[in-house]
Amino acid sequence: MFTRSRRRLAYWFTLSMGSILILFAFTVYHRQVKDRMREFDAQVYLQTQKIASLTRYQKQEKSWQIDTENVSLPNLETIPTESRITCIRWYDSQKRLLQFIGNCYPQRSLVIPGWQTLEYKCNFSGTTRHKNLRTLTLPLKYNQSLVGYLQVAVSLDPIQDSLGRSRLFLSLGVPITLGFTGIVGWILGGFAMQPVKRSYEQLQRFTADASHELRAPVAAILSNAQVGLLAPVDDSQQPRQRLENIVTQSKSMSALIANLLFLARHEGKLNPKDIAKTDIVELLKSLANQYRNLAREKNLDFKLDVTTTSLEVCGDRDLLKQAIRNLLDNAVKYTPTGGMVGLELSVKPRRILITVRDTGIGIPSSDLPYIFDRFYRVDKARTRQTGGFGLGLAIAQQIIQAHDGKITVESEEKKGTTFQICLPLRS
Ligand code: ADP
């Protein structure tokens, strides 16, 4: 599935980049042709005018005599080779050829004032070649009367050769670049697929873990129900005991489902309706009252260290309470009798730090990187007794991240654990 998506990404990337590239190459080539032709025409026009100014006319009886003594092709050799003149022809006003200089092939040419492009075939060492000629015909005038015509022919071959080289470069360069684009697309597709692959694997693992966790209580409920049904009719004790087991298992299942629903509903974002200013000091004090009693029941020392009288933070009060409660639950759960659980608040310039500390069993350093993963439990056998699913910290982290905060942990085995929530202070 991922390889197919990656291939598709690479394909679309190459296609879009290729289209842009081809369009770009075509535009550049088109512009180059236009610019070269404009430059070429300007050069030829200048030369033709120069030849016209060098040409002398003499009226003899009714016709004009043209004197081309000053005109020669070598005179014009300062001009670029691309627009070098190959042939100059002079015609009278009746368009009859009077004189010519240079290699005038084809011999016959149309005399129409302005620009013309001619294509002709010539035999070169036994092979027929197509040649292109550009001609410019200018009327020659003396005192407003038409004397004749001057026609200049320039071979288009040099310019076409150079444009042919550009065409060859583009026609080889474009497919090679497209090949590179395809490779780059494939590599980029791989990078783009990585987060998708990771979240897909996470989702798969989550679904498998959730099904696994739900299977155990369902199996227990079923076996208790079956054993209860098999009990003799006069035995009221056993079915009752089985029903109690079913209730316990159902409660555990319901708690798991509630946690799963919670994770799904609050994925990454807060409900704007539930965001309000919350007095965090008051919230911590009410939690402290609750957990002080719980700690006392377990013979634990509970310490509250909040010096500020009141401090408002922006957020979802119930969710923040839930996150801190999950940390306090763990602290009480994983601290043996005689230990200490602490809740602290410290206020920094633009953030607050809520710390939940305990002197409990601690978390091995090898487990610390995974502690916030869904369904992760340090010691499954140990937590089974305490009834945890490994979702409490994942929920706490999700809530804090949704508040643009951060949750961190420091722990040492057999010495204790410290969780710290950092929340931004917003006005
Ligand atoms: P659970 O519901 O199983 O407690 P959590 O996500 O809250 O799940 O915690 C994940 C695991 O992290 C627990 O199984 C436990 O092993 C470990 N843990 C969490 N908090 C503490 C703590 N304060 N002291 C020691 N271990 C802890």
Side-chain angles (χ1 to χ4, degrees), residues 105 120-131:
Y105 190 87
Y120 65 96
K121 284 181 199 161
C122 73
N123 244 329
F124 190 77
S125 321
T127 50
T128 312
R129 283 197 185 169
H130 285 267
K131 297 253 176 203

Side-chain angles (χ1 to χ4, degrees), residues 220-426:
I221 289 171
L222 191 66
S223 73
N224 273 297
Q226 282 169 339
V227 174
L229 282 172
L230 289 175
V233 187
D234 53 342
D235 183 358
S236 64
Q237 189 58 32
Q238 211 205 61
R240 191 179 170 76
Q241 201 190 332
R242 296 290 157 192
L243 280 175
E244 275 168 9
N245 285 348
I246 290 173
V247 169
T248 316
Q249 293 297 336
S250 306
K251 273 187 185 165
S252 144
M253 209 164 91
S254 155
L256 174 61
I257 293 169
N259 279 341
L260 289 175
L261 271 175
F262 188 94
L263 279 167
R265 278 196 193 135
H266 298 95
E267 182 88 80
K269 51 190 178 292
L270 297 173
N271 188 352
K273 272 192 269 167
D274 298 328
I275 301 173
K277 284 195 171 161
T278 302
D279 187 346
I280 198 79
V281 176
E282 185 269 318
L283 189 142
L284 291 182
K285 282 184 178 165
S286 84
L287 278 171
N289 285 338
Q290 213 176 313
Y291 280 87
R292 194 172 283 121
N293 295 335
L294 262 175
R296 200 176 299 134
E297 278 171 25
K298 254 195 95 179
N299 232 336
L300 298 173
D301 183 18
F302 189 90
K303 280 187 187 150
L304 175 70
D305 185 2
V306 178
T307 44
T308 324
T309 45
S310 151
L311 181 75
E312 284 193 326
V313 293
C314 217
D316 185 327
R317 183 187 162 86
D318 290 340
L319 292 185
L320 286 174
K321 201 169 178 176
Q322 170 84 57
I324 304 165
R325 195 186 275 148
N326 286 3
L327 300 185
L328 285 169
D329 272 340
N330 282 345
V332 172
K333 206 159 46 172
Y334 299 112
T335 306
T337 311
M340 185 281 291
V341 171
L343 179 62
E344 296 162 22
L345 172 72
S346 55
V347 185
K348 303 282 171 205
R350 302 180 73 165
R351 64 207 159 99
I352 56 161
L353 299 174
I354 300 163
T355 311
V356 176
R357 214 185 284 284
D358 69 59
T359 56
I361 56 171
I363 303 165
S365 53
S366 56
D367 291 290
L368 279 177
Y370 314 104
I371 209 76
F372 294 102
D373 288 358
R374 291 171 182 184
F375 291 109
Y376 191 84
R377 285 168 297 193
V378 172
D379 178 353
K380 300 216 176 201
R382 185 180 85 191
T383 39
R384 192 138 291 155
Q385 293 158 18
T386 47
F389 295 109
L391 289 176
L393 289 180
I395 290 176
Q397 189 185 47
Q398 191 165 306
I399 293 172
I400 299 306
Q401 281 177 349
H403 282 83
D404 296 327
K406 220 173 135 188
I407 180 164
T408 51
V409 59
E410 274 174 27
S411 185
E412 209 176 318
E413 260 191 293
K414 296 195 183 95
K415 285 209 169 153
T417 307
T418 304
F419 282 96
Q420 196 164 62
I421 294 173
C422 173
L423 283 175
L425 270 179
R426 276 179 291 212

Side-chain angles (χ1 to χ4, degrees), residues 56-158:
R56 302 272 168 262
Y57 329 106
Q58 255 182 359
K59 186 139 193 184
Q60 286 184 355
E61 294 168 19
K62 278 185 181 172
S63 64
W64 284 89
Q65 281 294 310
I66 290 173
D67 173 12
T68 60
E69 207 173 285
N70 296 331
V71 184
S72 67
L73 285 181
N75 272 357
L76 303 163
E77 245 154 31
T78 47
I79 51 185
T81 22
E82 262 181 11
S83 46
R84 198 162 287 165
I85 291 168
T86 53
C87 162
I88 309 168
R89 289 186 179 103
W90 285 268
Y91 298 87
D92 66 8
S93 55
Q94 305 303 310
K95 299 185 178 175
R96 282 181 303 240
L97 183 65
L98 296 176
Q99 281 188 49
F100 71 91
I101 306 180
N103 172 21
C104 291
Y105 190 87
Q107 280 149 8
R108 290 172 66 82
S109 166
L110 283 175
V111 186
I112 303 165
W115 290 102
Q116 281 193 74
T117 304
L118 313 171
E119 200 187 303
Y120 65 96
K121 284 181 199 161
C122 73
N123 244 329
F124 190 77
S125 321
T127 50
T128 312
R129 283 197 185 169
H130 285 267
K131 297 253 176 203
N132 289 293
L133 211 61
R134 188 126 168 103
T135 62
L136 173 63
T137 311
L138 289 183
L140 298 172
K141 287 188 174 166
Y142 186 79
N143 284 345
Q144 303 296 325
S145 60
L146 184 69
V147 174
Y149 295 93
L150 166 68
Q151 191 178 62
V152 160
V154 186
S155 169
L156 275 174
D157 291 345

